[in-house]
Amino acid sequence: MIDYHLHTPLCRHALGAPADYLEAARGKGLREIGFADHYPLGLLGVKPHAEVTMSPEELPQYVSEIKALAAGEKEIRVKLGAEVDYLPGKEKELARLLAREPFDYVIGSIHFMDDWDFTHPYFAARFEEADLEAVYRRYFELLWQACRSGLFDIIGHIDVIKKFGYRLPPAALEPYLQRTARILKECGLCYELNSAGRAAPAAEFYPGRRLLELCCREGVPVTLGSDAHAPDQVGRYFDEALQLLREVGYRELAVFTARQRSFIPLDGGAGKEAPSAS
Ligand code: ZN
Ligand code: FE
Ligand code: FE
Ligand code: ZN
């Protein structure tokens, strides 16, 4: 099995050295892991209220540290990824910046709506005052823009707007989910089943079952990540996650090398990389 969403202490809100995450992965019997730490917002000229990414100066260190870890490891494949914030208006700059890094994959995530870091517990109270329908509309509009930007290989925690348990009724949410699945398909994108949502107030994977079903029906590829911010979170809830993926109809997981996608079977096998079907 794989875990494609691991952080490092460079982002200032994760614990444990990359080697500790690797050992945790070994303990869980994983065959492949990928680090996807928070790409420096400073490179885009953005300084959020809370420091949540590595600094521009730390990016070369991150790249060389993960590359060295990968080179020294014989059993588990170690991939170099990044979790990159989608910021409207910064697309050209970001495309140029990402092209110069040797990433295996880039996860595009939305953590900011304008200046609101809405996934940060410190700023969650703002949901109380907000017009939830408007917040969801804004979130999904940003998400669809991110999909269409062509910047990303994987869309991260795709319905993270539910993180703190503020939800639209299912009927109101449905059109957003349907459109999201369609846009992922049109854009040829992959998304992740991110198991961290299970431990958040939302108490559900990102995305929930309904969006997984819609994406599977559209033939949108999925990958798997724990969003671990500590070594003991590596592979968290993966038995449950795999069961859910099977139930909705998935049979394979996407993996990436040098930003090229291929697939491994969801069940069994040594997780050997198979040639891409698409
Ligand atoms: Zn984080
Ligand atoms: Fe994130
Ligand atoms: Fe993350
Ligand atoms: Zn994340």
Side-chain angles (χ1 to χ4, degrees):
M1 204 28 61
I2 64 169
D3 188 339
Y4 257 35
H5 197 145
L6 307 180
H7 287 279
T8 83
L10 291 174
C11 70
R12 293 156 174 77
H13 60 275
L15 301 168
D20 301 330
Y21 288 77
L22 175 61
E23 287 322 304
R26 201 184 313 283
K28 294 253 173 176
L30 302 186
R31 302 301 181 107
E32 178 166 338
I33 59 172
F35 288 86
D37 207 7
H38 295 283
Y39 182 84
L41 279 169
L43 283 175
L44 292 164
V46 175
K47 193 169 165 37
H49 300 299
E51 293 276 3
V52 284
T53 74
M54 67 182 87
S55 71
E57 301 72 44
E58 287 164 333
L59 182 58
Q61 178 194 335
Y62 169 67
V63 169
S64 58
E65 201 177 344
I66 303 307
K67 286 283 182 196
L69 192 69
E73 170 60 30
K74 297 284 170 282
E75 287 170 16
I76 298 176
R77 277 188 299 270
V78 178
K79 297 290 174 70
L80 173 69
E83 181 175 20
V84 179
D85 285 285
Y86 174 67
L87 300 169
K90 302 281 187 183
E91 291 87 346
K92 282 211 177 105
E93 235 175 308
L94 192 52
R96 190 177 47 79
L97 287 165
L98 292 177
R100 62 189 200 196
E101 303 301 336
F103 293 138
D104 288 307
Y105 58 89
V106 175
I107 300 179
S109 293
I110 316 261
H111 303 106
F112 296 94
M113 270 188 272
D114 305 310
D115 65 342
W116 180 21
D117 182 353
F118 67 89
T119 67
H120 197 302
Y122 191 76
F123 307 111
R126 229 168 114 171
F127 277 99
E128 288 293 341
E129 308 138 29
D131 169 358
L132 206 55
E133 175 75 51
V135 165
Y136 269 70
R137 193 181 321 121
R138 176 80 180 127
Y139 175 77
F140 279 99
E141 276 165 4
L142 276 171
L143 179 73
W144 299 334
Q145 265 181 272
C147 291
R148 290 176 171 134
S149 71
L151 289 164
F152 309 118
D153 306 302
I154 300 164
I155 299 297
H157 44 63
I158 198 159
D159 61 355
V160 73
I161 189 68
K162 73 186 177 189
K163 178 174 180 178
F164 296 108
Y166 298 90
R167 291 171 182 269
L168 289 189
L173 188 62
E174 178 68 14
Y176 290 107
L177 303 186
Q178 290 192 5
R179 187 140 176 220
T180 298
R182 212 165 51 233
I183 289 171
L184 286 169
K185 176 64 180 176
E186 281 166 17
C187 297
L189 268 166
C190 174
Y191 69 111
E192 59 171 6
L193 193 170
N194 182 313
S195 64
R198 190 66 181 60
E204 187 185 77
F205 296 130
Y206 308 124
R209 179 188 284 263
R210 179 61 185 154
L211 186 49
L212 286 168
E213 284 170 353
L214 291 168
C215 287
C216 187
R217 192 184 300 167
E218 291 279 358
V220 179
V222 70
T223 191
L224 180 62
S226 65
D227 215 339
H229 285 71
D232 66 353
Q233 296 169 356
V234 173
R236 184 162 59 156
Y237 303 117
F238 274 16
D239 288 345
E240 203 181 311
L242 290 168
Q243 181 58 31
L244 179 57
L245 286 171
R246 268 179 224 120
E247 279 172 24
V248 303
Y250 277 105
R251 295 294 174 260
E252 52 188 17
L253 291 173
V255 289
F256 292 83
T257 301
R259 306 200 64 179
Q260 296 297 307
R261 183 165 74 204
S262 56
F263 292 92
I264 58 167
L266 193 62
D267 281 300
K272 209 172 141 326
E273 284 190 35
S276 173
S278 58

